[in-house]
Amino acid sequence: MAPLAGLDLGTKTIGVAVSDLMQTVATPLETIKRTKFTKDAEALLALTDKRQIGGLVLGLPLNMDGSDGPRVQSTQAFARNLSRLTALPIVYWDERLSTVAAERALLEADTSRKRRGEVIDHVAAGFILQGALDRIHHIRQGF
């Protein structure tokens, strides 16, 4: 088993979270400032190499009614382009309300507004990854 990485892909940042080796717990890691795809991919792939990541869980920003929107298309394009640069499997995970959940958790922890702005993306990536890990665990347990 290898750790997985969860990604919250935004227009200005990419939130990153990683799992433990047993793929049970997601931990928010960092936020990458986006510039252009080549640099973004370079930063992500350096991180996956350093952490020996076994796969990527990419948040899919569906509309609240479950339909695809413009951000879904850009996320899928990012995944297609990234898949040309790595053999790591890339899967999508519904990210609806992940940022809301992250914001709520940070408010409950009495995090300052400035600090919330700095960490919200990788905390949201943690929620995305934890959702996927919980589902994987549920499948492994035979429902």
Side-chain angles (χ1 to χ4, degrees), residues 20-105:
D20 59 328
L21 284 172
M22 298 301 295
Q23 300 177 352
T24 55
V25 178
T27 303
L29 182 64
E30 68 178 82
T31 298
I32 298 170
K33 297 277 187 214
R34 294 194 68 182
T35 54
K36 58 182 183 174
F37 174 79
T38 314
K39 295 285 186 189
D40 300 344
E42 201 174 273
L44 278 173
L45 295 177
L47 186 143
T48 61
D49 286 345
K50 178 182 176 187
R51 297 262 177 180
Q52 299 180 327
I53 298 297
L56 301 172
V57 178
L58 184 56
L60 192 62
L62 298 170
N63 292 326
M64 288 307 290
D65 65 1
S67 64
D68 290 359
R71 287 194 53 227
V72 167
Q73 294 169 357
S74 65
T75 298
Q76 290 171 330
F78 183 90
R80 271 192 311 276
N81 291 334
L82 189 61
S83 69
R84 293 182 183 121
L85 303 175
T86 181
L88 289 174
I90 302 171
V91 298
Y92 298 112
W93 188 258
D94 183 352
E95 73 165 37
R96 283 179 286 184
L97 301 177
S98 62
T99 302
V100 172
E103 181 83 23
R104 187 171 295 143

